[in-house]
Amino acid sequence: MDIIVIGSCMTDQICYTSRLPKPGETIHGTKFSMSFGGKGANQCVMAAKLGAKTAMVAKLGEDTFGRLYLDNLLRCGVDVGHTTTSGAAATGVAQICVDEAGMNSIVIVAGANLELSAADVARADGLLGSARVLLCQLEVPLETTLAALRAARRHGVTTVVNAAPAQPVKDGDLFELSDIFCVNETEAEIMTELPVRSVAEAETAAAALLRRGCRAVIVTLGAQGAVYAAPGQAAMHVPAERAERVVDTTGAGDAFLGALGYFLACVPALPVREAIVRACRIATDSVARPGTQDSFPSREQLPAELLRP
Ligand code: RIB
């Protein structure tokens, strides 16, 4: 196994509108679509589309959305031996609004994702031990994520923690068990209580996260690329290419993380700066198309040299 994701699956219900509604306001939308999302599964599917061998440890509801989701993961070539169902809650859903500029706002009702437990992680221990990279997010219970990170550290598996959606976390283990801790600018502000509106401020926030024990930090900055910081070296700004067309930015962060996971697991000789440059390029490619997983490019749609050492 190259990559194991212990995380979320959501049914994305997306309304496209000219602008995001104000509180108390009803507006007309221009299009509706329903597709497969959830930050965990998005990152897993991105890595699978690039050619990584992936597995998803997740919880679905015993409902139509859950059955459709399982079929989707199978179609994408993801190992679902540890994607189980819960009779106690429905498959997670995300209500997403996307405006004309491609910006979004999202509400999730995590449902069955909150039933994913440390016992599920323990059952997947053998699989986890066989992986090169573990990807985690914060759409399942924090204690489940921490159990996965502890097991990964025990097995010597590289851990990538995407602290999204952000929440103030007091447990130092989340930081200390992160080989790479990755947040966007909003999430960096919530996790550090520092402003993050520029590259310089992102570097300051990354340094604060390193002090909490992460082995390396990436702060993604949308069109401005990303900042990478590791102890004992100067922070690096990695600029992104300009997107020619922005249709929908939903899931672009997940495309970045799935691609980063792919490079760490499948092209390990690649210097981390180059891995970030290429992951940014793949994320930028995804914003030209609507949807989340549907917008992610597959291996065949990308230049071959992008995926080689
Ligand atoms: O990052 C985008 C994802 O966030 C969406 O697919 C939605 O399901 C939420 O989890």
Side-chain angles (χ1 to χ4, degrees), residues 51-131:
K53 279 187 74 184
T54 59
M56 187 75 208
V57 178
K59 200 66 97 179
L60 299 164
E62 286 170 2
D63 47 34
T64 307
F65 285 159
R67 284 186 285 280
L68 290 172
Y69 213 112
L70 196 64
D71 288 347
N72 169 60
L73 292 175
L74 285 166
R75 258 195 320 274
C76 294
V78 173
D79 180 311
V80 295
H82 290 273
T83 306
T84 53
T85 57
S86 158
T91 300
V93 289
Q95 295 284 332
I96 304 178
C97 201
V98 179
D99 73 11
E100 241 165 34
M103 290 311 296
N104 64 65
S105 67
I106 305 178
V107 177
I108 59 167
V109 179
N113 292 294
L114 299 181
E115 303 291 315
L116 191 71
S117 67
D120 292 307
V121 173
R123 278 190 282 275
D125 193 68
L127 184 70
L128 183 52
S130 76

Side-chain angles (χ1 to χ4, degrees), residues 8 10-12 36-39 42 94 96 106 108 139 250-251 254 292:
S8 58
M10 311 269 178
T11 302
D12 284 354
F36 301 102
K39 294 181 197 301
N42 289 348
I96 304 178
I106 305 178
I108 59 167
E139 289 185 333
T250 316
D254 299 329
T292 39

Side-chain angles (χ1 to χ4, degrees), residues 15-27:
C15 291
Y16 293 88
T17 60
S18 56
R19 61 177 174 80
L20 303 181
K22 295 182 191 140
E25 188 187 23
T26 301
I27 60 174

Side-chain angles (χ1 to χ4, degrees), residues 2 7 80 88 91 94 104 120 141 153 172 174 203 213 221 255 264 286 295 297 304:
D2 295 320
V80 295
T91 300
N104 64 65
D120 292 307
R153 196 47 71 81
L174 184 73
E203 289 177 358
L221 298 166
L264 293 174
S286 77
S295 73

Side-chain angles (χ1 to χ4, degrees), residues 46 50 241 259 262-263 267 270 274-285 297-299 301-309:
M46 178 73 258
L50 295 179
E241 281 173 21
Y262 166 82
F263 289 119
V267 198
L270 203 64
E274 183 58 20
I276 295 171
V277 167
R278 295 187 191 189
C280 279
R281 180 141 175 230
I282 291 167
T284 302
D285 180 278
S298 64
R299 191 178 180 86
Q301 291 168 311
L302 292 166
E305 63 275 13
L306 194 66
L307 303 174
R308 278 203 293 261

